Amino acid sequence: MKYGQHLRENIAPEYGPEPYLNYAHLDGIIRILSGKDLSSADMDSRQVSLTTPAPTNKKGIVLDSATITEEAFISSIDSELTKVEHFTLRKVTDLRNQLDEIEQKLKEISLQDEEETDSLQKLADDVASKFLTLEKYVNLNFMGFHKILKKHDKYCSSAPCKTFYINRMHSQAWVRGDYSDVVVRLSAIYSALRNDQVAEENNDASQSFLRSTTKYWIKTEDVSKVKYAVLRNLPVFLQKTSTGESDSQLTNSVYLDNDQLELYHGRLDKTQGALALRLRWYGAAEPSIVFVERKTHRDKWIGEVSVKERFMVKEKEVQQVLTNTYPIKTKKEKMIKEGSTQDEADDWECLASEITQAISSKQLVPTMRTQYMRTAFQIPFDATVRVSLDTNLCMISERGYDLKNMTVWHRDPNQTIAHNEITRFPHAVLEIKLELKGENAAPPKWVTDLQNSGLLYEVHKFSKFIHGCAVMMPEDVRAVPYWVDDASLRQSIIASGGGRILVRDDMTEQEKKALKLKHPGSGPGANQVYDHLLPFGDIEDNKVNTATGRTNVSKLASKGVIDNSRKYDPSTAGKFGSNFYDDDLEEMEEEQETCMGWLFPFCSPYNNMSVVAPTSVQKIEPKIFFANERTFLHWLHAGITLYSIASAILVFSEDGASWAHWYAMALLPIALGFCMYALHVFLWRADRIKTRIPGRWDDPRGPYVLGGLLVIVLSVNFITKLEQIWDYESMEL
């Protein structure tokens, strides 16, 4: 499907085609320009004459004002950019005005009146739906400008202009504008309609958290849809900035590690008690308050839960924490004087002592920094359900500069960062944190619906710290996480100089073996058993199969099924007409990827495509392997028991031709079948557990077959013995 057709099929009915990029017109200009043999400007001449004839092409034909020239394309591009910008700003203004009306009505109504609250709820839903429609409009045009400019530079290479106009487009308000105020106001409206109750503040000095956390990747174009889905159920945790309240806040975290990357490898291997130590602050300004945080990994299968603990210090005290000179005793006495209980002070002292001693004994220094804009959704002081969304995520190396005896503990933001010292993550990261009562408590329905919406791509145990270290320190890591093989990350990893942790598709087997020996974590097969966990696949060129992620929808899409009424035929993708200007295969694949990106509209008012839930990834704990072993032993025990019974019958049967002999011989193959079945199922299930293959891990047929055979033999024996007793009684009579 070419982009022009894709654009026409996704035009919002309420907008009509007029506000959209006139792709066909620009495409026509390029067709004409690509067929002309235009003369190029003389780059050396610095004088002109006002009395010379008009310029001509190589054929000597004068280029008059009616001839389509390069200026016509430039003028059209300028006009289209202005049109899209004005339309976007007008629509945003209309949405803000509608929010003003809703907020005014909210002050006038009683929240106890269900009819009025339902009416306002529908108005708020309508504003949110229109905002998502506007965002899709922006994305369609944004992609359209990229496509048409790329096509222009390809067929009119004498006058390339893509770089200039892409930079210009990124500076315009319709692209770079921050419309998060719409999200903030919608959140406040929904919160008021829900009548959210603020929980009591927890003043625990150590601020410890016990939660179950699931992490997901989100495509950039789906961020607003996910925000809307969450804020309808949880309020945005507003952040105070220099320009007012915003829905997001810049978050910086400097992670500590030593030269051997001991903490990195511990967190990667998920060893019991593995630590992650970081220094965190909020806001774009230089930090004044810093949180010293420790995350400790605990294995769930032994009944423990991973925990995050932290305490707060002033920026000037960070050096004391890093050099183990922090006055813990003095601080503890001050806490007690200020009203903290003895238990709180003791817990704080224990945490501070353990962290400072770990930094000193393990020789930990600043190693890697994460930086992102975090949007948090939570009822204040209520951690039952907390959702955080991290966008504009990047990881920055904190190695390679003088720490000046720990007086400097993070990179100077005014210094230039080399390309191999920063990596920009191409997706947003969503964390859903649940703190539910009871081991078998289920999450709220809206959380389950969001997980099954097709907008989220679960990445098991994803870590910003691990990803940043693996990409920016490829020579120091002994192993890498499985998700680096995801095709969607390849470009960002290579741009950051971490390409050696990847396995190229064009590598020979000898090169792959050599790479595996030199870098065990990056060699072929290191993450082979986890390839099905990669949200966008591990083959960079397989656009159709990897564009939509690990979902049932993507499996259908890869076969050409878009929805119930439309079917895309991949066989026509490679067929080109006689016109040399048609898009080549590479552009066709890119446009297929673009189309796939819109397979999952959420709350779209004009697209009724059905969404199929992603296949959930099974959670693996050591107790699952133990359960598999216990099941194997139970089946083996049943087989051995049957074999022992059959052997005893054979030993004690007097006549080899008696019924007892045949009964025992019938039990022996069944006993052997139990043992062979136990071994087969054990190995089959162990493989599925190891590779975390989604789906059923039980065998619904085997037990019926073996159990049925055993029941048949026992029934035949019962009937035979019953007949023998009957015959014996008849003879006695």
Side-chain angles (χ1 to χ4, degrees), residues 43-87:
M43 299 298 177
D44 297 325
S45 177
R46 291 177 172 80
Q47 292 83 28
V48 297
S49 173
L50 299 179
T51 59
T52 57
T56 61
N57 61 12
K58 291 183 179 180
K59 296 180 180 180
I61 301 176
V62 176
L63 300 177
D64 56 25
S65 58
T67 304
I68 293 181
T69 62
E70 183 67 29
E71 287 75 12
F73 179 82
I74 299 299
S75 177
S76 296
I77 282 287
D78 289 334
S79 176
E80 294 297 317
L81 284 171
T82 302
K83 177 181 70 174
V84 172
E85 181 176 30
H86 289 172
F87 182 82

Short mmCIF file of all heavy atoms in Angstrom, two decimals, residues 43-87:
data_model
loop_
_atom_site.label_atom_id
_atom_site.label_comp_id
_atom_site.label_asym_id
_atom_site.label_seq_id
_atom_site.Cartn_x
_atom_site.Cartn_y
_atom_site.Cartn_z
N MET A 43 27.79 27.64 -9.81
CA MET A 43 28.21 27.89 -8.43
C MET A 43 29.38 28.86 -8.34
O MET A 43 29.67 29.39 -7.27
CB MET A 43 28.59 26.56 -7.76
CG MET A 43 27.44 25.57 -7.67
SD MET A 43 26.09 26.23 -6.66
CE MET A 43 24.90 24.91 -6.84
N ASP A 44 30.08 29.10 -9.46
CA ASP A 44 31.28 29.95 -9.41
C ASP A 44 30.98 31.40 -9.76
O ASP A 44 31.66 32.31 -9.28
CB ASP A 44 32.34 29.40 -10.37
CG ASP A 44 32.80 28.01 -9.97
OD1 ASP A 44 32.86 27.76 -8.75
OD2 ASP A 44 33.10 27.20 -10.86
N SER A 45 29.98 31.64 -10.60
CA SER A 45 29.69 33.00 -11.04
C SER A 45 29.06 33.81 -9.92
O SER A 45 28.15 33.35 -9.24
CB SER A 45 28.74 32.96 -12.24
OG SER A 45 28.39 34.29 -12.62
N ARG A 46 29.59 35.05 -9.72
CA ARG A 46 29.07 35.94 -8.67
C ARG A 46 28.47 37.22 -9.26
O ARG A 46 28.22 38.17 -8.53
CB ARG A 46 30.18 36.29 -7.68
CG ARG A 46 30.63 35.10 -6.84
CD ARG A 46 31.78 35.47 -5.92
NE ARG A 46 32.08 34.42 -4.98
CZ ARG A 46 32.78 33.33 -5.23
NH1 ARG A 46 33.28 33.14 -6.47
NH2 ARG A 46 33.02 32.43 -4.31
N GLN A 47 28.25 37.23 -10.56
CA GLN A 47 27.64 38.39 -11.21
C GLN A 47 26.48 37.93 -12.09
O GLN A 47 26.47 36.82 -12.58
CB GLN A 47 28.65 39.16 -12.07
CG GLN A 47 29.76 39.86 -11.29
CD GLN A 47 30.90 38.93 -10.95
OE1 GLN A 47 31.14 37.97 -11.68
NE2 GLN A 47 31.60 39.21 -9.86
N VAL A 48 25.51 38.86 -12.27
CA VAL A 48 24.39 38.61 -13.16
C VAL A 48 24.17 39.84 -14.03
O VAL A 48 24.64 40.94 -13.72
CB VAL A 48 23.09 38.30 -12.38
CG1 VAL A 48 23.24 37.03 -11.57
CG2 VAL A 48 22.70 39.47 -11.49
N SER A 49 23.42 39.63 -15.11
CA SER A 49 23.06 40.74 -15.99
C SER A 49 21.55 40.78 -16.12
O SER A 49 20.90 39.74 -16.32
CB SER A 49 23.69 40.55 -17.38
OG SER A 49 23.22 41.54 -18.27
N LEU A 50 21.01 41.96 -16.01
CA LEU A 50 19.57 42.12 -16.10
C LEU A 50 19.07 42.17 -17.54
O LEU A 50 17.87 42.24 -17.78
CB LEU A 50 19.14 43.39 -15.36
CG LEU A 50 19.46 43.44 -13.86
CD1 LEU A 50 18.99 44.77 -13.27
CD2 LEU A 50 18.79 42.27 -13.15
N THR A 51 19.99 42.14 -18.51
CA THR A 51 19.57 42.24 -19.91
C THR A 51 19.79 40.95 -20.68
O THR A 51 19.58 40.91 -21.90
CB THR A 51 20.34 43.37 -20.62
OG1 THR A 51 21.75 43.10 -20.55
CG2 THR A 51 20.03 44.71 -19.96
N THR A 52 20.20 39.88 -20.00
CA THR A 52 20.42 38.60 -20.69
C THR A 52 19.11 37.83 -20.75
O THR A 52 18.21 38.03 -19.92
CB THR A 52 21.48 37.75 -19.96
OG1 THR A 52 21.04 37.56 -18.61
CG2 THR A 52 22.83 38.44 -19.98
N PRO A 53 18.96 36.91 -21.74
CA PRO A 53 17.74 36.11 -21.84
C PRO A 53 17.55 35.21 -20.62
O PRO A 53 18.45 34.99 -19.83
CB PRO A 53 17.96 35.28 -23.12
CG PRO A 53 19.02 36.01 -23.87
CD PRO A 53 19.89 36.66 -22.84
N ALA A 54 16.34 34.68 -20.55
CA ALA A 54 16.00 33.78 -19.43
C ALA A 54 16.83 32.51 -19.52
O ALA A 54 17.26 32.11 -20.61
CB ALA A 54 14.51 33.45 -19.47
N PRO A 55 17.07 31.82 -18.39
CA PRO A 55 17.86 30.58 -18.43
C PRO A 55 17.16 29.49 -19.22
O PRO A 55 15.94 29.44 -19.33
CB PRO A 55 17.98 30.19 -16.95
CG PRO A 55 17.06 31.06 -16.20
CD PRO A 55 16.64 32.18 -17.07
N THR A 56 17.97 28.61 -19.79
CA THR A 56 17.45 27.49 -20.56
C THR A 56 18.00 26.19 -20.01
O THR A 56 19.00 26.17 -19.29
CB THR A 56 17.84 27.61 -22.04
OG1 THR A 56 19.27 27.60 -22.14
CG2 THR A 56 17.30 28.90 -22.63
N ASN A 57 17.37 25.09 -20.41
CA ASN A 57 17.90 23.78 -20.04
C ASN A 57 18.92 23.33 -21.08
O ASN A 57 19.25 24.08 -22.01
CB ASN A 57 16.78 22.77 -19.86
CG ASN A 57 15.99 22.56 -21.14
OD1 ASN A 57 16.39 23.00 -22.21
ND2 ASN A 57 14.85 21.91 -21.00
N LYS A 58 19.37 22.08 -20.96
CA LYS A 58 20.41 21.60 -21.87
C LYS A 58 19.92 21.48 -23.30
O LYS A 58 20.72 21.41 -24.24
CB LYS A 58 20.94 20.26 -21.38
CG LYS A 58 21.74 20.37 -20.09
CD LYS A 58 22.29 19.01 -19.67
CE LYS A 58 23.11 19.15 -18.39
NZ LYS A 58 23.66 17.84 -17.96
N LYS A 59 18.60 21.40 -23.49
CA LYS A 59 18.03 21.33 -24.83
C LYS A 59 17.82 22.70 -25.45
O LYS A 59 17.35 22.82 -26.57
CB LYS A 59 16.71 20.57 -24.79
CG LYS A 59 16.85 19.12 -24.36
CD LYS A 59 15.50 18.42 -24.34
CE LYS A 59 15.66 16.97 -23.91
NZ LYS A 59 14.34 16.25 -23.89
N GLY A 60 18.15 23.77 -24.68
CA GLY A 60 17.98 25.11 -25.20
C GLY A 60 16.60 25.67 -25.05
O GLY A 60 16.29 26.73 -25.62
N ILE A 61 15.73 25.00 -24.32
CA ILE A 61 14.36 25.46 -24.14
C ILE A 61 14.31 26.45 -22.98
O ILE A 61 14.82 26.17 -21.89
CB ILE A 61 13.41 24.28 -23.89
CG1 ILE A 61 13.46 23.30 -25.07
CG2 ILE A 61 12.00 24.75 -23.64
CD1 ILE A 61 12.64 22.05 -24.86
N VAL A 62 13.69 27.62 -23.24
CA VAL A 62 13.61 28.64 -22.21
C VAL A 62 12.62 28.21 -21.13
O VAL A 62 11.52 27.73 -21.42
CB VAL A 62 13.16 29.99 -22.82
CG1 VAL A 62 12.98 31.04 -21.72
CG2 VAL A 62 14.17 30.46 -23.84
N LEU A 63 13.02 28.38 -19.89
CA LEU A 63 12.15 28.05 -18.75
C LEU A 63 11.34 29.29 -18.40
O LEU A 63 11.81 30.19 -17.70
CB LEU A 63 13.00 27.61 -17.55
CG LEU A 63 13.89 26.37 -17.80
CD1 LEU A 63 14.74 26.09 -16.56
CD2 LEU A 63 13.04 25.17 -18.13
N ASP A 64 10.12 29.37 -18.91
CA ASP A 64 9.28 30.53 -18.63
C ASP A 64 8.55 30.35 -17.31
O ASP A 64 8.69 29.35 -16.62
CB ASP A 64 8.29 30.78 -19.77
CG ASP A 64 7.42 29.56 -20.05
OD1 ASP A 64 7.24 28.75 -19.12
OD2 ASP A 64 6.93 29.42 -21.18
N SER A 65 7.73 31.32 -16.97
CA SER A 65 7.05 31.31 -15.67
C SER A 65 6.02 30.21 -15.57
O SER A 65 5.61 29.82 -14.48
CB SER A 65 6.38 32.66 -15.42
OG SER A 65 5.45 32.94 -16.48
N ALA A 66 5.54 29.69 -16.70
CA ALA A 66 4.52 28.64 -16.67
C ALA A 66 5.12 27.26 -16.46
O ALA A 66 4.40 26.30 -16.20
CB ALA A 66 3.71 28.65 -17.97
N THR A 67 6.42 27.15 -16.59
CA THR A 67 7.07 25.85 -16.43
C THR A 67 7.19 25.51 -14.95
O THR A 67 7.55 26.36 -14.13
CB THR A 67 8.47 25.88 -17.06
OG1 THR A 67 8.35 26.26 -18.43
CG2 THR A 67 9.11 24.50 -16.96
N ILE A 68 6.88 24.28 -14.61
CA ILE A 68 7.02 23.84 -13.22
C ILE A 68 8.49 23.68 -12.89
O ILE A 68 9.22 22.93 -13.56
CB ILE A 68 6.28 22.52 -12.99
CG1 ILE A 68 4.77 22.74 -13.14
CG2 ILE A 68 6.59 21.95 -11.61
CD1 ILE A 68 3.94 21.50 -12.91
N THR A 69 8.94 24.37 -11.88
CA THR A 69 10.35 24.35 -11.48
C THR A 69 10.46 23.88 -10.03
O THR A 69 9.46 23.62 -9.36
CB THR A 69 10.96 25.75 -11.62
OG1 THR A 69 10.26 26.64 -10.73
CG2 THR A 69 10.83 26.26 -13.05
N GLU A 70 11.68 23.85 -9.58
CA GLU A 70 11.95 23.45 -8.20
C GLU A 70 11.28 24.40 -7.22
O GLU A 70 10.85 24.01 -6.13
CB GLU A 70 13.46 23.42 -7.96
CG GLU A 70 13.90 22.94 -6.59
CD GLU A 70 13.57 21.47 -6.36
OE1 GLU A 70 13.54 20.71 -7.34
OE2 GLU A 70 13.35 21.09 -5.19
N GLU A 71 11.16 25.69 -7.63
CA GLU A 71 10.53 26.66 -6.75
C GLU A 71 9.07 26.32 -6.48
O GLU A 71 8.53 26.63 -5.41
CB GLU A 71 10.64 28.07 -7.35
CG GLU A 71 12.02 28.69 -7.30
CD GLU A 71 12.96 28.09 -8.33
OE1 GLU A 71 12.47 27.35 -9.22
OE2 GLU A 71 14.17 28.32 -8.23
N ALA A 72 8.42 25.66 -7.45
CA ALA A 72 7.02 25.28 -7.26
C ALA A 72 6.89 24.26 -6.14
O ALA A 72 5.96 24.33 -5.32
CB ALA A 72 6.44 24.72 -8.56
N PHE A 73 7.82 23.33 -6.09
CA PHE A 73 7.79 22.33 -5.01
C PHE A 73 8.06 22.98 -3.66
O PHE A 73 7.36 22.71 -2.67
CB PHE A 73 8.82 21.23 -5.29
CG PHE A 73 8.88 20.18 -4.23
CD1 PHE A 73 7.97 19.13 -4.22
CD2 PHE A 73 9.83 20.22 -3.22
CE1 PHE A 73 8.00 18.15 -3.24
CE2 PHE A 73 9.88 19.26 -2.24
CZ PHE A 73 8.96 18.22 -2.25
N ILE A 74 9.06 23.85 -3.61
CA ILE A 74 9.40 24.53 -2.36
C ILE A 74 8.22 25.36 -1.87
O ILE A 74 7.87 25.35 -0.68
CB ILE A 74 10.64 25.42 -2.55
CG1 ILE A 74 11.86 24.58 -2.96
CG2 ILE A 74 10.94 26.21 -1.27
CD1 ILE A 74 12.26 23.54 -1.96
N SER A 75 7.59 26.08 -2.78
CA SER A 75 6.45 26.92 -2.41
C SER A 75 5.29 26.06 -1.89
O SER A 75 4.63 26.43 -0.90
CB SER A 75 6.00 27.74 -3.61
OG SER A 75 4.85 28.49 -3.31
N SER A 76 5.06 24.93 -2.52
CA SER A 76 3.98 24.04 -2.09
C SER A 76 4.26 23.45 -0.72
O SER A 76 3.36 23.34 0.13
CB SER A 76 3.77 22.93 -3.12
OG SER A 76 3.34 23.45 -4.36
N ILE A 77 5.49 23.07 -0.48
CA ILE A 77 5.86 22.53 0.83
C ILE A 77 5.64 23.58 1.91
O ILE A 77 5.08 23.29 2.99
CB ILE A 77 7.33 22.06 0.83
CG1 ILE A 77 7.44 20.70 0.14
CG2 ILE A 77 7.87 21.96 2.25
CD1 ILE A 77 6.91 19.55 0.96
N ASP A 78 6.07 24.81 1.66
CA ASP A 78 5.86 25.89 2.64
C ASP A 78 4.38 26.07 2.93
O ASP A 78 3.96 26.24 4.09
CB ASP A 78 6.46 27.19 2.11
CG ASP A 78 7.97 27.18 2.11
OD1 ASP A 78 8.54 26.42 2.93
OD2 ASP A 78 8.58 27.90 1.30
N SER A 79 3.58 26.07 1.86
CA SER A 79 2.14 26.26 2.02
C SER A 79 1.51 25.12 2.82
O SER A 79 0.67 25.36 3.71
CB SER A 79 1.48 26.36 0.65
OG SER A 79 0.08 26.45 0.76
N GLU A 80 1.92 23.89 2.55
CA GLU A 80 1.36 22.74 3.26
C GLU A 80 1.75 22.75 4.73
O GLU A 80 0.94 22.44 5.61
CB GLU A 80 1.83 21.44 2.60
CG GLU A 80 1.31 21.21 1.19
CD GLU A 80 -0.21 21.08 1.15
OE1 GLU A 80 -0.77 20.39 2.03
OE2 GLU A 80 -0.82 21.69 0.26
N LEU A 81 2.99 23.10 5.04
CA LEU A 81 3.43 23.18 6.43
C LEU A 81 2.62 24.23 7.20
O LEU A 81 2.20 23.99 8.34
CB LEU A 81 4.92 23.52 6.50
CG LEU A 81 5.90 22.39 6.18
CD1 LEU A 81 7.32 22.93 6.08
CD2 LEU A 81 5.84 21.30 7.26
N THR A 82 2.40 25.36 6.57
CA THR A 82 1.62 26.42 7.22
C THR A 82 0.18 25.97 7.45
O THR A 82 -0.41 26.23 8.51
CB THR A 82 1.64 27.69 6.36
OG1 THR A 82 3.00 28.11 6.16
CG2 THR A 82 0.86 28.81 7.03
N LYS A 83 -0.39 25.29 6.47
CA LYS A 83 -1.77 24.82 6.58
C LYS A 83 -1.94 23.84 7.75
O LYS A 83 -2.87 23.97 8.56
CB LYS A 83 -2.20 24.15 5.28
CG LYS A 83 -3.60 23.56 5.31
CD LYS A 83 -3.94 22.90 3.99
CE LYS A 83 -3.16 21.62 3.77
NZ LYS A 83 -3.58 20.90 2.55
N VAL A 84 -1.03 22.89 7.83
CA VAL A 84 -1.12 21.89 8.89
C VAL A 84 -0.92 22.53 10.26
O VAL A 84 -1.62 22.22 11.23
CB VAL A 84 -0.09 20.76 8.66
CG1 VAL A 84 -0.05 19.82 9.85
CG2 VAL A 84 -0.43 19.99 7.39
N GLU A 85 0.03 23.47 10.34
CA GLU A 85 0.28 24.13 11.62
C GLU A 85 -0.94 24.92 12.08
O GLU A 85 -1.36 24.82 13.24
CB GLU A 85 1.50 25.04 11.51
CG GLU A 85 1.84 25.72 12.83
CD GLU A 85 3.10 26.55 12.73
OE1 GLU A 85 3.40 27.06 11.63
OE2 GLU A 85 3.79 26.70 13.75
N HIS A 86 -1.54 25.71 11.21
CA HIS A 86 -2.69 26.52 11.59
C HIS A 86 -3.88 25.65 11.98
O HIS A 86 -4.59 25.95 12.95
CB HIS A 86 -3.07 27.45 10.43
CG HIS A 86 -2.10 28.55 10.20
ND1 HIS A 86 -2.15 29.40 9.12
CD2 HIS A 86 -1.03 28.97 10.94
CE1 HIS A 86 -1.18 30.29 9.19
NE2 HIS A 86 -0.47 30.04 10.28
N PHE A 87 -4.10 24.59 11.25
CA PHE A 87 -5.22 23.70 11.57
C PHE A 87 -5.02 23.06 12.94
O PHE A 87 -5.96 22.98 13.75
CB PHE A 87 -5.36 22.62 10.50
CG PHE A 87 -6.51 21.69 10.73
CD1 PHE A 87 -7.80 22.03 10.34
CD2 PHE A 87 -6.32 20.46 11.34
CE1 PHE A 87 -8.87 21.17 10.55
CE2 PHE A 87 -7.38 19.59 11.56
CZ PHE A 87 -8.65 19.95 11.17
#
